[in-house]
Amino acid sequence: MNEDQRYHLLMAFRLTYLADSMVNWCPALGTVLANDEIKDGVSERGGHPVVQKKMRQWSMRISAFSERLLLGLDQIDWPENIKEIQRNWIGKSEGATAFFDLDQYEGQIEVFTTRPDTIFGVSYLTLAPEHPLVSSITTAEQKSAVEQYVQQAALKNERDRQVQSKEMTGVFTGAYAIHPLTGKQVPIYIGDYVLAGYGTGAVMAVPAGDQRDWDFAKHHNIAMVLIFENHDASESACTSKEVPLVNSDFLDGLCGKTAFNAAVEALEKIEHGNKKVNYRLRDAVFSRQRYWGEPFPVYFKDGKAQMIGDQELPVTLPDVDKYLPTEDGEPPLARSQWKYQNEFVMEYNTMPGWAGSSWYFLRYMDPKNAQAIASKEAMNYWGQVDLYMGGAEHATGHLLYSRFWTMILNDLGHVPFGEPFQKMINQGMILGRSSFVYRIKDTNTFVSADLRKEYQTQRLYADISMVDNDQLDTAAFKNWLPEYNNAEFILNEKGQYLCGFEVEKMSKSKFNVQTPDELIEKFGADTLRCYEMFLGPVEQSKPWDTKGINGVHNFLRRLNRLFQTDEGQWLVNQDAADKKSLQTLHRTIKKVTDDLNRHSWNTVVSTLMIAVNEWTEQKCHQQEVLESLLVLLSPYAPHLAEELWSKLGHKETVTIAQWPEAIAAFLEDDVFSYPVSFNGKTRFNIDLDANMDAKTVEEAVMGHEKTAHYLEGKAPKKVIVVPKRIINIVC
RNA sequence: CCGGAUGUGGCGUAAUUGGUAGCCGCGCCAGACUUAGGAUCUGGUGCCGUGAGGCGUGGGGGUUCGAGUCCCUCCAUCCGGACCA
């Protein structure tokens, strides 16, 4: 093998490789985008149109890791929905490839199918309009129709294709293939319901067994082959795998897995197919036509990419006169005339955002290390990221790429673990509550929300600062924007202008942004912080509602009053705390610690509230108790905790204080108040020694005066005693 | 259409292993102190009922001595993916 051949062979296997491929080109951004950077056919950033274009680009072979990325999901503690999004994105499907020889031409069409068992039902083949064989097999008579269709399809982006999905459009190519098992002619169509990027870009159409094929066949009047028992295909396709096959030669009477295997075996025997697992996951385009990005340590020699040696790293970005593409559409770095050793052209593309985000967390372990990402010692000490808090919007981008890179680095022996993030929590979003006014069509008159049904109206945003309790300050509204200066209002019978509302993401364009500044001004940052924790579970999204913030503020004030009066008189003493206060303390320590460990931050605040209420009632001012309270409080109200901590005489910050430990002796009461239920209905409580065994408890209950009353003279059939929980009498 | 999550008082929520449903807070009601209160304190507050009592965790069914929690089924809401062959 010569150098040239070796180079191209390696490119077909390298993890990062140069290839001519169809990429998502965004003209407005002047760069290519990865699949996950496109939402609904437009760029995620800016919402610009994206077109398909063939370009020579660097890609990373993430598809080679499909199976491992899929299996790894079972090893990590992530929210189920994110795992599911990744599973869908990887899109594993088990099926078979089958080869159909072309009639009259050299060559074959390869199709991927998950239902090889339905192969005797094939009535035609459909190619994606972009399929490479289309132009060479189309007959003279069909040429103009096919070309026209291909051109139309190219103009449509993916979104348009989906919108018109009801119409199963397509064109006959005039060519035929040979069915590998029957030897019969099968017409070849093109249709844009077949995607070039999935499978082989070609399908074997079985109208009796696939709804899309059925729709297409109906639309084009193609004869169907009936292959399912008691199914005439007059209404729809039969998609169940458990219906026995007919008209299928050696598969007759079989179904499911058995039929699947028999069909694949037959194809294998004549070398026209085999079992295959297909993944939806595509390789990720790794170059961007931007200035700001990591440069590639790559130069070109005789048109072949070469790596710059380790000793010459890092490569730094060259200076350019403008951070824009060149006139002939080259990336910004081309402006620099950048050369390696003054001789070889450097790679002008830069890496995408997901390059850095795939490994930055590793660097945190050892940020100054000049030899490696991080030292072995640091990696072994810190290990995986224990808890990753982030949003679900990165599920198919960053979160998948980080896993991919970590696997590579693990394979190469650079990191000692194969998954980057052991546990993940998706924090919910705090949403805004937008307010709306209703303008009567073609006027400048606004109607109150409760009367809007009587008019044809247009819904417009009103800034929430002008709205109080859904009532609009009409004077402020008129002054808000020039076009509203002479606005008129139709008020309801109470003389109010009511606004409509909707809960949605906070955004300037929706005029529903509430900054915490005012609340911090009024209540302080500690109150705001506690309140945010108190609102509910972290994972939950909810509208920002400040109604309850007073309650949290009162809690902190009550807490402060355990230490000093509102007038500033210091109350803390060195006396020994009584048992009750200590019980409150140690139960609180236990619950707060447990709740912290399960990330239940809202219940931590609630637990601290309960404790403060109890100590207030107990008139507890002992340093012994209150000191520990401050440590528990410090993550939630750091300023207050720190101030009181120093007033207790500490010289060092509370943030480094030892976390208190719950003493078991204080956690349990001597007496347990058993709920006594009859047939599952709780009737009364009975106080008994907490350590009493089940038998003694039963005796105590049966001897209780109220028991006889609720038995109503009947004999108990069964008495269930669960120590320190419940007593249930069945009668 | 497919997948995931969620459904508990007037509201935000709690109930960690199947064991007293509604903790904590908001709101509301009553009272105290006040010239005054968007301050503070006390008591009450799931629903129906004067009461005894009954009902109650989206609906229906099941398992169990016992179900908010487990199983089946239906409904609703939110999120995500969607011509994936």
Side-chain angles (χ1 to χ4, degrees):
Chain A
M1 216 185 280
N2 66 30
E3 197 193 329
D4 210 52
Q5 289 169 319
R6 197 158 60 229
Y7 175 81
H8 286 105
L9 185 70
L10 280 173
M11 270 298 175
F13 288 92
R14 287 189 190 281
L15 280 174
T16 310
Y17 62 96
L18 257 181
D20 285 322
S21 50
M22 292 301 282
V23 295
N24 308 301
W25 173 253
C26 179
L29 296 174
T31 186
V32 301
L33 298 171
N35 288 342
D36 65 278
E37 292 169 315
I38 299 162
K39 287 270 140 75
D40 301 325
V42 297
S43 67
E44 192 174 35
R45 196 163 286 190
H48 303 293
V50 174
V51 296
Q52 298 295 307
K53 191 175 168 187
K54 199 165 212 171
M55 283 178 78
R56 193 164 187 79
Q57 295 288 312
W58 289 97
S59 288
M60 286 199 89
R61 210 176 297 277
I62 191 171
S63 63
F65 284 69
S66 301
E67 188 66 20
R68 283 170 68 187
L69 288 166
L70 193 61
L71 289 175
L73 291 172
D74 299 332
Q75 311 299 318
I76 48 183
D77 183 8
W78 286 17
E80 199 46 47
N81 68 319
I82 297 223
K83 289 191 184 183
E84 206 53 35
I85 291 169
Q86 291 204 345
R87 282 190 196 108
N88 289 340
W89 189 259
I90 294 167
K92 179 179 185 173
S93 63
E94 293 179 64
T97 46
F99 294 94
F100 286 70
D101 294 330
L102 289 167
D103 193 19
Q104 320 258 348
Y105 296 91
E106 280 297 304
Q108 295 178 313
I109 291 176
E110 183 186 358
V111 301
F112 174 73
T113 177
T114 54
R115 297 292 305 275
D117 49 317
T118 65
I119 192 156
F120 285 98
V122 172
S123 326
Y124 59 96
L125 301 183
T126 313
L127 307 183
E130 299 88 347
H131 196 283
L133 280 177
V134 171
S135 55
S136 54
I137 62 170
T138 301
T139 58
E141 306 87 74
Q142 295 296 319
K143 194 165 188 238
S144 68
V146 167
E147 279 178 356
Q148 201 187 343
Y149 186 81
V150 169
Q151 217 162 31
Q152 272 177 10
L155 289 174
K156 291 193 229 170
N157 56 33
E158 265 186 47
R159 189 192 217 172
D160 292 338
R161 285 197 191 183
Q162 282 169 32
V163 170
Q164 292 166 12
S165 64
K166 303 279 174 293
E167 286 269 305
M168 292 308 248
T169 64
V171 180
F172 180 42
T173 61
Y176 291 87
I178 303 295
H179 191 292
L181 296 179
T182 65
K184 287 188 188 152
Q185 273 196 335
V186 179
I188 304 171
Y189 283 74
I190 60 171
D192 67 6
Y193 80 98
V194 177
L195 305 175
Y198 183 78
T200 60
V203 301
M204 56 175 229
V206 182
D210 183 283
Q211 194 55 46
R212 286 155 307 164
D213 296 342
W214 188 92
D215 291 341
F216 191 88
K218 264 273 172 244
H219 193 255
H220 295 273
N221 260 318
I222 303 166
M224 304 184 189
V225 187
L226 301 178
I227 51 162
F228 295 105
E229 203 172 272
N230 301 323
H231 174 249
D232 66 4
S234 57
E235 295 298 319
S236 64
C238 167
T239 51
S240 167
K241 286 179 184 164
E242 304 309 321
V243 179
L245 293 158
V246 295
N247 288 331
S248 293
D249 197 347
F250 58 91
L251 297 176
D252 283 354
L254 303 179
C255 61
K257 202 86 207 151
T258 325
F260 181 105
N261 289 333
V264 173
E265 214 172 288
L267 287 168
E268 276 172 349
K269 207 176 280 171
I270 55 168
E271 296 184 345
H272 270 70
N274 47 272
K275 215 177 234 185
K276 176 153 191 210
V277 177
N278 195 55
Y279 297 92
R280 204 193 79 125
L281 186 65
R282 306 280 73 160
D283 283 344
V285 179
F286 194 59
S287 25
R288 295 291 182 275
Q289 293 68 45
R290 293 299 182 97
Y291 178 82
W292 299 110
E294 299 88 331
F296 283 77
V298 166
Y299 64 96
F300 291 89
K301 187 175 173 185
D302 304 328
K304 291 195 280 286
Q306 312 289 332
M307 298 300 290
I308 283 169
D310 286 358
Q311 68 286 352
E312 292 172 81
L313 298 178
V315 174
T316 50
L317 284 166
D319 292 328
V320 290
D321 55 345
K322 274 188 241 165
Y323 302 115
L324 294 170
T326 65
E327 278 69 36
D328 27 322
E330 286 238 56
L333 295 193
R335 292 177 174 276
S336 67
Q337 300 292 314
W338 202 15
K339 292 268 174 15
Y340 175 63
Q341 293 177 347
N342 292 319
E343 190 181 351
F344 305 107
V345 176
M346 286 290 288
E347 171 63 57
Y348 291 147
N349 287 296
T350 53
M351 298 186 200
W354 60 268
S357 69
S358 293
W359 70 285
Y360 72 96
F361 46 89
L362 298 172
R363 189 64 178 167
Y364 286 172
M365 293 187 255
D366 196 2
K368 301 221 164 93
N369 194 320
Q371 307 308 316
I373 292 172
S375 70
K376 283 250 146 45
E377 296 73 47
M379 296 245 195
N380 286 328
Y381 174 77
W382 292 103
Q384 287 166 294
V385 173
D386 299 298
L387 173 64
Y388 188 110
M389 270 200 68
E393 68 273 19
H394 295 123
T396 56
H398 160 59
L399 291 173
L400 196 60
Y401 295 131
S402 310
R403 295 184 58 218
F404 169 45
W405 279 42
T406 304
M407 284 175 187
I408 296 171
L409 292 170
N410 183 229
D411 288 354
L412 295 174
H414 294 306
V415 303
F417 41 82
E419 287 284 348
F421 315 125
Q422 179 48 40
K423 183 179 173 66
M424 171 154 42
I425 294 179
N426 290 143
Q427 87 279 26
M429 212 186 305
I430 297 293
L431 303 170
R433 192 175 185 277
S434 316
S435 287
F436 296 102
V437 291
Y438 301 88
R439 182 165 65 190
I440 299 172
K441 273 235 163 92
D442 305 319
T443 69
N444 207 10
T445 302
F446 294 80
V447 59
S448 180
D450 41 345
L451 305 174
R452 72 173 185 273
K453 292 255 152 58
E454 299 162 31
Y455 303 87
Q456 276 235 317
T457 57
Q458 188 185 4
R459 196 176 78 160
L460 300 162
Y461 281 104
D463 195 299
I464 51 164
S465 64
M466 309 179 300
V467 180
D468 186 27
N469 206 10
D470 285 340
Q471 261 191 68
L472 181 71
D473 179 341
T474 52
F477 182 73
K478 287 170 89 162
N479 285 328
W480 183 37
L481 296 172
E483 66 249 47
Y484 298 145
N485 282 353
N486 51 4
E488 307 209 9
F489 302 93
I490 299 177
L491 308 178
N492 65 13
E493 68 265 25
K494 286 186 200 143
Q496 305 165 327
Y497 187 97
L498 290 183
C499 293
F501 70 91
E502 197 169 306
V503 170
E504 47 189 358
K505 258 191 205 176
M506 282 198 201
S507 150
K508 274 185 201 160
S509 63
K510 300 183 202 300
F511 300 103
N512 63 352
V513 177
Q514 257 171 330
T515 64
D517 304 12
E518 205 183 309
L519 292 165
I520 291 175
E521 182 78 20
K522 197 164 165 190
F523 297 106
D526 280 346
T527 298
L528 180 73
R529 193 179 168 107
C530 287
Y531 182 58
E532 280 191 298
M533 294 297 103
F534 186 63
L535 274 175
V538 252
E539 302 92 331
Q540 242 166 64
S541 287
K542 56 185 49 174
W544 182 228
D545 177 1
T546 57
K547 275 200 202 96
I549 199 165
N550 263 317
V552 175
H553 192 228
N554 282 345
F555 151 65
L556 290 178
R557 293 178 56 176
R558 278 160 74 94
L559 184 144
N560 184 53
R561 266 181 236 134
L562 293 172
F563 292 81
Q564 53 193 329
T565 63
D566 286 343
E567 291 75 36
Q569 189 195 340
W570 195 245
L571 299 171
V572 179
N573 62 53
Q574 310 299 321
D575 301 346
D578 63 20
K579 192 181 169 194
K580 273 221 149 84
S581 298
L582 288 171
Q583 276 184 335
T584 299
L585 174 66
H586 289 285
R587 283 170 195 171
T588 303
I589 292 171
K590 172 141 178 42
K591 176 118 172 78
V592 167
T593 308
D594 288 353
D595 285 359
L596 267 175
N597 285 334
R598 63 186 180 106
H599 312 105
S600 175
W601 298 320
N602 53 326
T603 55
V604 170
V605 178
S606 149
T607 303
L608 291 174
M609 283 174 171
I610 294 169
V612 167
N613 289 346
E614 287 180 13
W615 284 320
T616 302
E617 195 169 333
Q618 295 159 12
K619 298 194 165 48
C620 170
H621 301 292
Q622 280 75 43
Q623 174 145 1
E624 177 187 0
V625 169
L626 298 181
E627 203 160 57
S628 294
L629 165 65
L630 291 181
V631 184
L632 300 180
L633 179 74
S634 61
Y636 294 85
H639 305 89
L640 180 64
E642 200 67 71
E643 183 179 328
L644 294 172
W645 184 254
S646 81
K647 281 198 177 178
L648 286 177
H650 293 283
K651 295 278 175 281
E652 299 212 290
T653 161
V654 67
T655 55
I656 58 165
Q658 181 72 38
W659 191 258
E661 239 174 87
I663 297 171
F666 290 107
L667 298 180
E668 307 237 327
D669 250 320
D670 310 338
V671 175
F672 181 80
S673 179
Y674 277 93
V676 182
S677 55
F678 293 78
N679 297 323
K681 284 195 168 88
T682 309
R683 296 300 183 178
F684 62 91
N685 279 57
I686 172 170
D687 290 348
L688 295 172
D689 189 309
N691 297 316
M692 205 179 256
D693 64 60
K695 200 161 183 308
T696 326
V697 169
E698 185 176 334
E699 281 162 16
V701 171
M702 294 319 289
H704 196 275
E705 47 180 308
K706 285 189 184 161
T707 304
H709 171 250
Y710 284 104
L711 278 174
E712 295 165 332
K714 288 178 279 187
K717 292 196 188 107
K718 201 171 175 185
V719 178
I720 287 132
V721 175
V722 184
K724 284 185 225 171
R725 285 223 191 269
I726 199 168
I727 297 158
N728 189 21
I729 297 168
V730 187
C731 56

